[in-house]
Amino acid sequence: MVEHGVRTVASMVNYRKGNSLERFAGVIFTRENSSFYTVEDLKRARIEAVSIAGLGAMQLQQATLLTLGFDVMADAKRLSFSYNQNLIVEDVESGYADVGFVRTDMIDRLVAAGTTTWDKFRILFQIEDPTFPFRRSTSFTPEWPLGALDHVPYSVSQEFASHLYQLDRFSSDPLYADPGIAGGFATFVNPMNYMTLLVMLETIGYYNPEEMKCMRSTDVYEA
């Protein structure tokens, strides 16, 4: 958004498992019966993420592991990308991958759908947090923003945002409740602070503050 001069006009409040959530995190997980426990163990792991540019299923985990002295781009035995978080869970369960990266609530959704069970998995580097309803391995990032390009008049973007703020899955008026129920969100609020996200992206090398430019997946693949 910095690169293209996009201004944030609203932030989404997600709705998962009966909770209105303004933030999410990443999960690093393995099979319950695997031999992977430590950072050192990850050096022999086949790791699967969603994509190089995936925030909740790659970049958050990459940043966390860097603080522990493990560079997933260089130190893993194998790093593959599925472009599908459901498939990551399936591949870890089947043994095709040893360790998977997904966003918080991903495994819970599959458990609720009856396609897997939690007892098949173990969270690595789990952060104990009674204030958050899902297991996590990484720090938080705010939920997704909606933005306006710089050619959009400010009055138009503000009018758009004012209508977003009226959406509320708990409203007694179906006009305002139905979009959130259908879309799996609670509401939209004033823009959250995304500076911590920008710092994280800079830390893992995805954002160049001098050029104010984000790296593309092709930049890494072609390096």
Side-chain angles (χ1 to χ4, degrees), residues 114-140:
T115 59
T116 191
T117 56
W118 257 116
D119 59 5
K120 296 178 180 178
F121 305 110
R122 173 167 34 88
I123 304 298
L124 299 176
F125 317 110
Q126 183 169 343
I127 299 171
E128 298 297 334
D129 184 357
T131 69
F132 192 71
F134 301 107
R135 305 178 215 192
R136 65 184 177 98
S137 305
T138 77
S139 58
F140 290 110

